[in-house]
């Protein structure tokens, strides 16, 4: 177990991670095992994969169970990190009704399990609760501008309802809650085909294909490396009193076009950048205000975008090679 400063202290706990075989979930499971805990990863493998946690299966403190979070479950646990939900717009819009059910019913099931065992729950919420924001950067007190009937609503409103459930369980004394509002996070083990900007651009650059920038590429995002995010989540979970939403992300903001250009440069790719239509309701700007996380958790992102992209590119290169592809080799340009 770790304290709010990330130091290992105290007893070992039994921790459930829903969505544990996903991109973020797999890194979180790894971290919790390294901290000495027992970890149960619950996942239906809809956007994640057992391969993401194959290296953890050797541990006698790790269990992987295939289940839908929207079906009731019960485990004797001390903590629940509720991550089960597709995260990529392309993936969560494939089956939007299921996305809503996963986020609403899944969170209710996770809270009920926490209630039965006196466990604490951390909800993986999202910057999407701010929608297409008029306030910039986005502080936790901003109530957001979400289109409740748009194509992103299944995810945005599902996550907003999940936050409401966490707060109601907490206020009623049924389960202690924590809410992490996660901003765009990237790193090794993102699914190669999940359609997000970082994964799309890296795969396209490594394959020598055109990089597809949507719209003019002037929309902004702030990208956080997964290790920094996991650190923030663990600190928030173990914080004694911080209940309401806390933004977790890296406040360095870039345009999507700048991201694409940086990935072309770091991969040494000869790929061209092309422009495609902007998806409906695509937020124009996004940057977390992280003063609350800094103040209460001592949270500070450590990995610069260039460094994190470099590590991610290396892992994607290996994954493509493992899948039998020969990605084009340009010399990585980090040191220049
Ligand atoms: P991911 O798609 O890689 O992981 C999600 C995992 O949940 C997958 O393993 C998937 O199989 C599993 N899952 C989905 N529906 C399920 C269901 N009904 N039952 C059981 N398992 C189910 O995505 P990620 O990037 O690792 O995101 C993890 C969490 O963090 C999600 O809740 C997401 O909303 C949140 N989040 C992520 C980001 C980001 O940029 N990565 C940003 C904001 C919020
Ligand atoms: N994007 C893009 N090309 C792609 C994938 C995404 O230009 O191939 C854009 C997308 O329109 C959005 C930004 O990149 O403006 C981030 O998209 P992502 O799906 O990674 O996450 P979002 O922040 O939209 O949830």
């Amino acid at each position: 177990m770790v304290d709010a400063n990330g130091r290992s202290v105290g007893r070992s706990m039994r921790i459930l991670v829903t969505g544990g075989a996903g991109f973020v979930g797999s890194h979180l499971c790894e971290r919790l095992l390294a901290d000495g805990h027992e970890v149960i990863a619950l996942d239906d493998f809809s956007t994640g994969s057992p391969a993401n946690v194959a290296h953890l299966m050797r541990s006698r403190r790790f269990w992987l169970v295939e289940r839908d979070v929207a079906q009731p479950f019960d485990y004797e646990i001390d903590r629940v990190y509720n991550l089960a939900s597709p995260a990529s717009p392309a993936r969560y819009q494939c089956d939007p009704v299921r996305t809503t059910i996963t986020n609403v019913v899944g969170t209710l099931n996770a809270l009920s399990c926490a209630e039965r065992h006196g466990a604490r729950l951390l909800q993986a919420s999202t910057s999407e609760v701010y929608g297409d924001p008029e306030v910039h950067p986005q502080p936790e007190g901003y109530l957001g501008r979400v289109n409740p009937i748009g194509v992103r609503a299944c995810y945005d409103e599902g996550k907003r309802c999940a936050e409401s459930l966490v707060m109601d369980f907490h206020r009623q004394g049924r389960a202690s809650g924590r809410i992490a509002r996660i901003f765009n996070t990237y790193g090794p083990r993102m699914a190669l085909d999940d359609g997000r900007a970082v994964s799309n651009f890296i795969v396209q650059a490594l394959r020598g294909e055109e990089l597809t920038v949507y719209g003019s590429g002037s929309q902004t995002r702030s990208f956080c490396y997964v290790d920094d995010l996991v650190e923030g989540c663990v600190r928030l979970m173990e914080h004694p009193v911080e209940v309401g939403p806390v933004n977790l992300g890296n406040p360095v903001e870039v345009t999507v076009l700048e991201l694409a250009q940086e990935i072309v440069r770091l991969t040494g790719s000869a790929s061209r950048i092309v422009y495609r239509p902007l998806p409906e309701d695509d937020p124009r700007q996004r940057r977390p205000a992280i003063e609350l996380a800094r103040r209460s958790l001592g949270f500070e992102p450590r990995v610069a975008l260039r460094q994190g992209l470099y590590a991610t590119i290396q892992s994607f290169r290996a994954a493509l090679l493992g899948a039998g592809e020969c990605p084009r080799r340009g010399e990585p340009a980090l040191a220049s």
Side-chain angles (χ1 to χ4, degrees):
M1 167 176 179
V2 293
D3 66 12
N5 295 316
R7 288 184 299 260
S8 272
V9 290
R11 71 192 169 96
S12 155
M13 293 186 287
R14 179 179 264 220
I15 301 180
L16 174 65
V17 180
T18 76
F23 155 53
V24 174
S26 64
H27 287 271
L28 180 61
C29 289
E30 203 171 281
R31 163 65 187 268
L32 296 171
L33 284 171
D35 285 344
H37 302 297
E38 293 181 18
V39 177
I40 304 166
L42 178 155
D43 205 295
D44 70 352
F45 309 136
S46 49
T47 57
S49 159
N52 286 335
V53 289
H55 61 299
L56 306 179
M57 298 301 288
R58 283 188 302 269
S59 170
R60 295 170 63 180
R61 290 182 284 109
F62 182 73
W63 295 270
L64 176 63
V65 283
E66 182 174 1
R67 286 192 82 113
D68 181 351
V69 76
Q71 300 299 322
F73 53 85
D74 193 28
Y75 299 99
E76 211 168 286
I77 32 101
D78 305 292
R79 298 281 186 267
V80 188
Y81 288 86
N82 188 38
L83 271 62
S85 166
S88 153
R91 300 303 291 269
Y92 67 63
Q93 289 170 29
C94 274
D95 190 345
V97 175
R98 182 149 201 265
T99 298
T100 303
I101 290 170
T102 295
N103 277 294
V104 177
V105 181
T107 302
L108 186 58
N109 286 337
L111 283 163
S112 301
C113 179
E115 179 181 22
R116 276 192 296 277
H117 298 286
R120 185 181 295 171
L121 176 141
L122 181 141
Q123 172 62 15
S125 190
T126 168
S127 50
E128 287 283 327
V129 301
Y130 301 121
D132 187 9
E134 314 103 320
V135 172
H136 193 70
Q138 294 79 56
E140 288 83 353
Y142 175 53
L143 298 182
R145 190 166 74 110
V146 170
N147 174 359
I149 54 165
V151 293
R152 294 173 88 106
C154 57
Y155 182 73
D156 301 9
E157 297 292 9
K159 290 286 188 183
R160 285 167 72 99
C161 183
E163 285 198 8
S164 147
L165 284 167
V166 173
M167 291 309 293
D168 285 333
F169 266 69
H170 191 89
R171 276 190 287 261
Q172 293 178 344
R174 297 172 62 181
S176 173
R178 303 285 183 271
I179 297 174
R181 286 197 180 144
I182 301 171
F183 283 64
N184 295 67
T185 299
Y186 69 99
R189 299 205 284 270
M190 290 178 90
L192 302 181
D193 61 351
D194 80 354
R196 285 185 261 195
V198 170
S199 46
N200 269 6
F201 293 161
I202 295 179
V203 169
Q204 290 163 340
L206 290 176
R207 285 181 176 153
E209 297 168 358
E210 293 170 336
L211 274 70
T212 53
V213 165
Y214 301 156
S216 65
S218 60
Q219 69 273 35
T220 66
R221 294 293 187 272
S222 306
F223 295 95
C224 183
Y225 191 64
V226 65
D227 290 355
D228 286 330
L229 173 74
V230 165
E231 182 64 39
C233 288
V234 172
R235 285 177 185 232
L236 178 57
M237 176 66 106
E238 297 313 322
H239 195 278
V241 292
E242 199 59 74
V243 172
V246 177
N247 288 340
L248 293 178
N250 189 320
V252 175
E253 185 180 0
V254 295
T255 67
V256 168
L257 180 58
E258 285 166 345
L259 175 74
Q261 289 166 335
E262 181 74 330
I263 288 173
V264 168
R265 213 180 60 75
L266 288 173
T267 50
S269 171
S271 291
R272 284 187 326 126
I273 291 174
V274 297
Y275 297 87
R276 297 284 176 259
L278 190 66
E280 197 179 315
D281 288 337
D282 199 283
R284 282 161 303 161
Q285 52 182 0
R286 188 182 287 158
R287 169 153 58 105
I290 60 165
E291 285 66 30
L292 177 59
R294 281 190 171 122
R295 203 171 53 244
S296 66
L297 310 179
F299 172 74
E300 193 60 56
R302 307 250 168 245
V303 182
L305 182 60
R306 199 170 186 222
Q307 226 185 323
L309 284 176
Y310 184 79
T312 310
I313 288 165
Q314 299 296 76
S315 79
F316 272 51
R317 210 189 281 281
L320 287 174
L321 281 169
E325 284 194 38
C326 254
R328 288 192 178 190
R329 271 190 187 278
E331 275 313 303
L334 187 68
S336 66

